[in-house]
Amino acid sequence: MALKDNQYKQEFGADLVSLKGKNMQGIVLSESAANPPYSDYNNAVITLIDTAMNQMIKQQTGGNTTLRQLQEKANQIIVGLK
């Protein structure tokens, strides 16, 4: 965690009105989950993911439709790489 010093943990978000009365200790004391293991297929599909997200945002495609189409394309690429 980047905030090692207790002083920083106590002052984190202190000047933000939206965080007043919130349990900030729950945020600064929690540990992040480990990253998933890297796959040989990550590089092959990362461009597809970026394209799908941009399509969803720009064309307002539904999330489920976008994910379904992305999964179909990714599966085709992965099968081709095996």
Side-chain angles (χ1 to χ4, degrees):
M1 179 174 208
L3 301 176
K4 299 268 185 210
D5 190 342
N6 283 334
Q7 175 189 359
Y8 296 119
K9 292 178 183 179
Q10 291 172 354
E11 293 179 11
F12 183 78
D15 57 341
L16 298 175
V17 176
S18 61
L19 297 180
K20 295 288 185 207
K22 303 293 181 189
N23 180 16
M24 295 307 297
Q25 294 303 308
I27 293 174
V28 297
L29 294 180
S30 62
E31 294 292 325
S32 299
N35 289 330
Y38 186 81
S39 167
D40 293 335
Y41 306 114
N42 285 9
N43 289 337
V45 297
I46 196 72
T47 303
L48 287 178
I49 295 170
D50 289 341
T51 302
M53 291 299 295
N54 287 331
Q55 178 184 354
M56 189 171 66
I57 293 167
K58 291 178 184 175
Q59 297 178 4
Q60 298 177 341
T61 309
N64 289 334
T65 301
T66 302
L67 289 173
R68 185 184 71 253
Q69 292 171 349
L70 173 61
Q71 183 176 17
E72 290 169 359
K73 290 176 185 176
N75 287 341
Q76 289 173 356
I77 288 175
I78 290 170
V79 166
L81 292 174
K82 287 186 176 182

